[in-house]
Amino acid sequence: MPELIPEPRYARFAPEGGECVLDDPLLDAGPGAEGTARWLRRELGAATGWDLPAPEAGHAYGGRAVIRVALRPELARGAGAESYELHVTRERVLLEGADPAGLFYAAQTLRQLLGPEAHRRAPAAPDRRWRLPVGDVRDAPRFGWRGLMLDVARHFMPKDGVLRYIDLLAAHKLNVLHLHLTDDQGWRIEIKRHPRLTEVGAWRPRSRWGHRASPLWNETPHGGFYTQDDVREIVAYAAERHVRVVPEIDVPGHSQAAIAAYPELGNTDVVDTAALQVWDDWGINENVLAPTEAVLRFYEGVFEELLELFPAEVSPFVHVGGDECPKEQWRASALAQERIGELGVDGEDGLQSWFIRHFDGWLAERGRRLIGWDEILEGGLAPGAAVSSWRGYAGGIAAAEAGHDVVMCPEQHVYLDHRQAGGPDEPVPIGYVRTLEDVYRFEPVPPKLSPEAASRVLGAQANVWTEVMENQSRVDYQVFPRLAAFAEVVWSRLPEPGERDYADFEARMGAHYRRLDVLGVDYRRPGGPLPWQRRPGVLGRPTEGEPPNV
């Protein structure tokens, strides 16, 4: 049986069925299949050396092998959106999708069936004849939201790195890239009406090396941002690969970079905000936005430009953060206390809810949906808002039972910055040990949810916070191979966590490691980190024991 990841719903490849030998095949694309045909010519053509010409109009295939790609909308009636079928005979390969996304995932399965070398950017053996086993695949995803969050605020990932991660998501049939674009340590997106957000806010003078308990510092200034043209390229590149991009602009906390650029955004009656710099440390920062109409107008301007860059068809959701907002400055601020009285809200938690509710209504008027971390439950959940449940399952359960959509991303299970083993060689160990098997046994829908509430779980997301990931290699190490296990969890219809066949998954990972090698992914090997992947002497923050199931 071919070693496919994620595991399809149905696959049959009989050893006696023979092979389809592909030697410069034709590519026959039906109406609506042009996007997948382009991808096959560009990606599969690069790896194999095939030209993949279209058949001549009115002529038979002339005895040549052919790859046929076509839409078949009726598949959706039985299997749902993003479903596909793949059929291999001795002469032909047929890829059919219920929609363009499903057809694209059929192409990803075809590439896996051809072998790890089909992931190359140039052919290793130009005269090679490629072979496929004769058989059939029928497949569809379990969830519509299959995501990865990349924190590009703490350590900036250049545009080419983001495009590379979009390709890696697509190769694993994941379809959401959540970009954490702003935080205390950096503002990463150009806003033309507020140029100081990137002129000042995108750069910090130094960075702590390791966890915030570490005494070590990297004294090299760090920064970077995406121009608006960069963002347009990222969004278009993602859309071509059926990946939705969810931008995150954090309010009202995690905002020191913005306040450093525009001091009037902060609580000026209790803090000398003009003296603030972009923060160079990790943790929760006390400098939060002031609860004023002027601040709302400022961020409305930010979101107006954001919506132009992230069209609704690619980015229906906009993330506003809403997490880890300390209230001390609001308690000390006469202006904030006066605002609480004017608004008639329930204290400082009510102020935070007022922030979120304002932007929920503002985004809804423009055809978008707000999503935020589960702290947006504090002070009352904004109507229509969706929740990223990160502190555990509890916030997601409460939101779903109240009729709100939920993306499950509990830190105890799918925070990929958490360490992968308990050994002393794990680089900058953070949090609980979350092995490949642990991630494989993650379940996005907790059993205590009612059936109606369970239908509110849009899917799940693995989160990658980059305080201790200073470059692409470090991100790769923390993300892979665990993202492959996560991808199977959110795509495949697996048994209950304790009944899942991890041994089978581990066996299929043998081929997948070779794919990751070809793709140039600096993943963690099963035997532990390679010498250059270690960070001896750099303090982390390991947490012992089993994570609580909260």
Side-chain angles (χ1 to χ4, degrees):
M1 180 68 68
E3 298 165 307
L4 298 174
I5 288 179
E7 183 179 37
R9 288 191 183 184
Y10 171 86
R12 181 187 61 83
F13 293 91
E16 66 276 9
E19 294 179 321
C20 177
V21 179
L22 297 174
D23 182 9
D24 197 22
L26 300 170
L27 177 58
D28 185 6
E34 297 84 3
T36 295
R38 281 195 304 272
W39 184 87
L40 284 167
R41 289 192 173 101
R42 183 175 59 246
E43 303 296 332
L44 212 55
T48 61
W50 298 338
D51 292 327
L52 292 171
E56 293 185 27
H59 291 74
Y61 296 140
R64 290 175 68 175
V66 63
I67 300 172
R68 164 78 176 163
V69 293
L71 293 182
R72 189 175 147 207
E74 58 267 28
L75 287 176
R77 289 200 291 270
E82 301 179 280
S83 59
Y84 70 88
E85 292 188 2
L86 183 152
H87 306 284
V88 182
T89 69
R90 291 176 182 268
E91 298 83 24
R92 309 245 168 89
V93 180
L94 173 62
L95 310 182
E96 296 180 308
D99 47 36
L103 188 60
F104 179 73
Y105 298 133
Q108 293 288 355
T109 299
L110 171 63
R111 183 164 68 159
Q112 287 198 15
L113 289 171
L114 285 167
E117 295 80 7
H119 294 74
R120 293 185 182 276
R121 295 185 180 180
D127 57 349
R128 172 176 174 173
R129 303 184 82 190
W130 297 77
R131 301 173 186 274
L132 285 171
V134 169
D136 305 282
V137 177
R138 298 182 181 89
D139 203 6
R142 179 185 177 192
F143 293 107
W145 187 300
R146 308 180 301 278
L148 178 74
M149 188 224 68
L150 276 178
D151 169 17
V152 296
R154 271 50 175 269
H155 277 103
F156 179 64
M157 179 178 285
K159 178 188 68 177
D160 284 353
V162 176
L163 300 179
R164 173 178 176 267
Y165 258 84
I166 290 169
D167 279 325
L168 291 171
L169 293 186
H172 291 80
K173 298 185 174 74
L174 299 173
N175 67 348
V176 175
L177 174 63
H178 171 177
L179 284 178
H180 183 75
L181 291 166
T182 72
D183 216 296
D184 301 303
Q185 297 87 357
W187 185 285
R188 305 292 178 220
I189 182 169
E190 177 188 26
I191 302 297
K192 291 186 181 294
R193 72 187 72 185
H194 302 307
R196 286 177 58 83
L197 287 172
T198 46
E199 290 171 359
V200 174
W203 311 94
R204 63 175 180 263
R206 63 176 187 169
S207 305
R208 190 178 290 278
W209 182 224
H211 181 253
R212 59 182 176 270
S214 169
L216 305 176
W217 292 88
N218 180 343
E219 297 291 344
T220 302
H222 179 83
F225 65 93
Y226 308 111
T227 68
Q228 294 201 351
D229 280 344
D230 289 339
V231 172
R232 292 186 184 97
E233 181 180 355
I234 288 167
V235 168
Y237 194 87
E240 192 174 43
R241 289 151 182 81
H242 302 280
V243 173
R244 289 175 286 157
V245 183
V246 177
E248 180 182 353
I249 303 293
D250 228 322
V251 297
H254 288 288
S255 297
Q256 182 160 322
I259 296 168
Y262 291 94
E264 64 272 21
L265 296 175
N267 294 282
T268 56
D269 60 340
V270 294
V271 178
D272 180 10
T273 55
L276 295 177
Q277 290 183 309
V278 177
W279 205 27
D280 59 9
D281 211 345
W282 315 130
I284 299 175
N285 188 292
E286 64 182 9
N287 291 297
V288 302
L289 298 175
T292 68
E293 291 294 327
V295 169
L296 294 185
R297 301 292 88 75
F298 182 97
Y299 273 85
E300 286 173 358
V302 169
F303 283 115
E304 282 177 5
E305 294 192 26
L306 197 79
L307 297 191
E308 292 177 6
L309 298 171
F310 294 89
E313 58 270 19
V314 177
S315 303
F317 285 90
V318 173
H319 209 292
V320 300
D323 62 316
E324 297 178 329
C325 179
K327 310 297 195 300
E328 286 78 7
Q329 290 185 0
W330 289 350
R331 293 188 186 101
S333 166
L335 186 151
Q337 293 303 309
E338 182 180 347
R339 194 69 165 147
I340 289 171
E342 291 174 356
L343 296 169
V345 298
D346 185 14
E348 291 76 24
D349 283 348
L351 270 188
Q352 179 169 337
S353 181
W354 168 75
F355 259 102
I356 302 303
R357 286 174 180 270
H358 174 83
F359 286 106
D360 179 56
W362 189 92
L363 288 166
E365 289 172 0
R366 290 155 180 81
R368 304 301 179 94
R369 292 192 63 191
L370 178 145
I371 186 168
W373 303 111
D374 55 54
E375 284 94 332
I376 68 174
L377 293 163
E378 297 170 6
L381 187 61
V387 169
S388 300
S389 188
W390 77 271
R391 291 181 291 183
Y393 288 109
I397 291 170
E401 294 288 3
H404 294 272
D405 289 338
V406 174
V407 175
M408 287 294 186
C409 48
E411 65 168 328
Q412 302 87 353
H413 303 278
V414 288
Y415 267 35
L416 300 186
D417 42 308
H418 284 209
R419 58 196 172 130
Q420 303 186 63
D425 289 333
E426 285 303 308
V428 200
I430 300 293
Y432 295 101
V433 172
R434 293 287 85 193
T435 65
L436 183 66
E437 182 173 359
D438 290 329
V439 174
Y440 190 67
R441 298 193 188 281
F442 164 61
E443 172 50 48
V445 181
K448 63 179 66 175
L449 275 181
S450 68
E452 182 179 354
S455 70
R456 291 287 188 176
V457 178
L458 302 177
Q461 181 171 287
N463 291 343
V464 183
W465 300 102
T466 62
E467 288 94 334
V468 299
M469 297 179 221
E470 73 279 5
N471 56 37
Q472 178 177 284
S473 175
R474 278 286 293 127
V475 174
D476 278 4
Y477 179 89
Q478 292 299 135
V479 171
F480 291 100
R482 292 182 295 181
L483 192 69
F486 175 81
E488 185 148 312
V489 166
V490 292
W491 178 277
S492 307
R493 292 189 178 272
L494 300 176
E496 292 300 312
E499 300 171 5
R500 293 177 188 172
D501 190 349
Y502 178 71
D504 174 72
F505 172 77
E506 194 173 33
R508 285 182 284 119
M509 279 299 296
H512 202 66
Y513 286 125
R514 296 193 293 276
R515 294 179 195 122
L516 296 177
D517 286 331
V518 172
L519 288 165
V521 177
D522 201 8
Y523 61 92
R524 183 189 188 276
R525 272 62 179 175
L530 297 170
W532 64 84
Q533 294 172 325
R534 299 169 186 159
R535 295 291 185 275
V538 182
L539 284 180
R541 187 198 60 186
T543 306
E544 301 302 332
E546 284 293 311
N549 195 24
V550 295

